[in-house]
Amino acid sequence: MSDMRFAIIGCGYVADFYMQLVENHPDVSVVRAFDINPDHAARFTAHWKVPSVTTQAAFFDGLKVDAVLNLTNPAAHFAVSRDCLEAGYPVYSEKPLAMEFAEVKALRDLALAKGLPLASAPCNHLSEAVAALRGSLEKGNVGKPLLVYAEMDDGFIAKSPYENWINPSGAPWPYEDEFEVGCTLEHAGYYLTWLIALFGSVTQVHSFAALQYPGKPTGGAPEAPDFSVACLTFESGLVARLTCGVVAPRDHQFKIFGDEGLMTADDCWFYETPIAFQRWIRVRRRFMLMPWPTKVKVAKPVVELPKSGAAAMDFMRGPIEMVAARRAGRGSRLPLDFCVHFNEVSLAIHNSTSRAETYDVKSRCTTLSPVTISNDPGQKDLSFVERRILPLLGRL
């Protein structure tokens, strides 16, 4: 891969996460930055040594990059991405692509008309953990997946010392934006990318969202729900429950219930998170999950990931994949219809306030193939207990 050049619009809190990974990708550089707030741009330049400009016109003037990273606050995502596409630049946007699905479709149509790549964070489905999950599922280690529980609870944020959360460049956590946008649009995409990459398109969303602890600062804007739960129906027939919240204690578990067992992943915010499975067994008159989980091997990331207590993710993996696919003339593993689809589902969950609502998803993701389950018992990963002990117990 020859050098990739990016530019950034939006020098706030999330921009540091991208810059931390730029340093670990030797063939990647950020050559220009812009923020509507000059103080943010100056702080960013002082820390990361990336030249910044003071106007959007100056940002586009003579700009030669492979893509623009739109890292502005969510309310600005649509307008900024539209302006970049109109100026002739591929765009990788932070989530969501826009705050309304009509705007998401408008960006899609503009990108297609211009022949330009457009993609949206997050890119967690490109992680080593998802590759390991896919491989294990395709071997049939838990049989046919029937049901998934995906948890995205992040603790009681309103009572946390969030005013003191500062990134390496000195950028504070944008708590007013976070509480205005809400936990669903901020966090649902992390597991939606997993679910859609593994199991295909969502056809229906049955969801409910609520504001359980009002009074968080939003700068005068309405406060978004701090809890949501959605049941998603997939074209394959699989059903998933996705929970997002900032009230209950942190829990990021991902559980796949198959007709032959259970597979678990600890946390989608860690690209090499532990994965294991347990199969159903019969011992005399008992039917139970095997007490000893079998670990699934997860590859080590090629690029070192900055590790904190909360996450270890490669934020640059999505932009790099988008550009690399275009250069090679191949299909992207972060295709536009995939991004449009998980953004539509996120917005459907976010906008639901009634338990009676059912949303029929309009878009489909056609360029990512769901997992194909093997029916060959010889493909399965067998533990020592399954190979040696269980046959003996079965004779008792």
Side-chain angles (χ1 to χ4, degrees):
M1 180 180 69
S2 58
D3 290 352
M4 289 188 182
R5 293 162 56 91
F6 295 92
I8 286 176
I9 298 184
C11 301
Y13 191 80
V14 73
D16 281 15
F17 295 129
Y18 285 81
M19 291 305 301
Q20 287 176 319
L21 270 303
V22 167
E23 293 186 335
N24 293 345
H25 287 279
D27 297 320
V28 171
S29 61
V30 174
V31 299
R32 188 178 295 176
F34 165 64
D35 194 290
I36 196 171
N37 185 325
D39 292 338
H40 291 179
R43 182 204 67 248
F44 186 84
T45 292
H47 184 82
W48 296 110
K49 312 306 179 189
V50 173
S52 60
V53 294
T54 56
T55 67
Q56 185 166 298
F59 177 79
F60 289 130
D61 186 23
L63 183 65
K64 295 181 179 179
V65 292
D66 291 286
V68 175
L69 307 183
N70 180 359
L71 310 183
T72 58
N73 67 322
H77 284 178
F78 170 70
V80 170
S81 292
R82 178 199 60 204
D83 291 348
C84 292
L85 291 168
E86 289 283 12
Y89 296 99
V91 177
Y92 183 88
S93 173
E94 256 301 319
K95 58 191 181 312
L97 271 172
M99 295 297 290
E100 301 291 340
F101 186 52
E103 294 178 335
V104 172
K105 291 189 291 183
L107 290 177
R108 174 200 63 194
D109 294 344
L110 179 58
L112 292 173
K114 292 280 188 177
L116 294 170
L118 169 67
S120 165
C123 59
N124 290 50
H125 68 292
L126 304 180
S127 67
E128 287 74 14
V130 171
L133 271 175
R134 175 179 287 274
S136 187
L137 288 171
E138 288 180 341
K139 288 180 179 179
N141 282 332
V142 294
K144 179 183 178 181
L146 305 173
L147 180 68
V148 176
Y149 288 173
E151 314 290 355
M152 281 301 297
D153 282 310
D154 274 298
F156 207 162
I157 300 297
K159 293 198 171 185
S160 301
Y162 54 80
E163 301 94 337
N164 301 326
W165 294 349
I166 307 293
N167 257 5
S169 71
W173 189 61
Y175 53 84
E176 290 187 347
D177 282 342
E178 292 274 339
F179 295 142
E180 178 187 351
V181 173
C183 58
T184 302
L185 289 184
E186 293 290 355
H187 292 159
Y190 290 109
Y191 269 138
L192 283 176
T193 58
W194 279 39
L195 287 164
I196 296 168
L198 292 171
F199 304 116
S201 296
V202 178
T203 58
Q204 282 193 324
V205 177
H206 308 259
S207 61
F208 172 73
L211 177 58
Q212 293 303 105
Y213 193 78
K216 298 182 283 295
T218 61
E223 190 176 351
D226 49 22
F227 167 80
S228 69
V229 61
C231 289
L232 312 174
T233 303
F234 290 75
E235 281 186 323
S236 64
L238 178 133
V239 169
R241 187 201 69 200
L242 172 61
T243 304
C244 295
V246 288
V247 177
R250 180 182 168 116
D251 180 2
H252 286 186
Q253 288 192 81
F254 188 79
K255 299 179 179 179
I256 303 171
F257 302 91
D259 59 3
E260 293 185 20
L262 164 67
M263 189 174 300
T264 60
D266 285 358
D267 192 337
C268 65
W269 281 8
F270 291 83
Y271 275 23
E272 50 183 314
T273 194
I275 296 169
F277 64 87
Q278 299 163 270
R279 274 196 280 272
W280 291 111
I281 57 172
R282 293 180 180 180
V283 178
R284 305 185 72 177
R285 291 186 296 172
R286 296 191 62 189
F287 184 67
M288 55 190 255
L289 286 170
M290 185 173 295
W292 305 278
T294 300
K295 292 182 180 180
V296 175
K297 184 177 180 180
V298 180
K300 293 288 184 183
V302 176
V303 174
E304 182 180 356
L305 304 181
K307 290 182 172 63
S308 67
M313 298 184 279
D314 187 347
F315 282 71
M316 284 303 299
R317 197 169 291 188
I320 290 171
E321 167 60 19
M322 184 184 77
V323 172
R326 187 189 195 197
R327 287 185 176 184
R330 61 170 172 81
S332 172
R333 295 184 297 152
L334 192 62
L336 180 54
D337 63 350
F338 177 81
C339 297
V340 168
H341 189 63
F342 77 72
N343 272 271
E344 181 185 5
V345 176
S346 293
L347 288 165
I349 300 170
H350 169 77
N351 290 323
S352 175
T353 56
S354 168
R355 294 176 182 85
E357 290 181 11
T358 298
Y359 178 86
D360 293 319
V361 182
K362 312 299 188 298
S363 62
R364 292 292 184 271
C365 175
T366 58
T367 51
L368 284 180
S369 300
V371 167
T372 302
I373 309 301
S374 171
N375 294 319
D376 181 3
Q379 294 293 316
K380 296 178 181 178
D381 295 317
L382 300 180
S383 66
F384 174 81
V385 172
E386 289 177 292
R387 291 196 311 269
R388 299 294 180 86
I389 305 301
L390 288 185
L392 295 176
L393 291 176
R395 299 171 187 171
L396 296 179

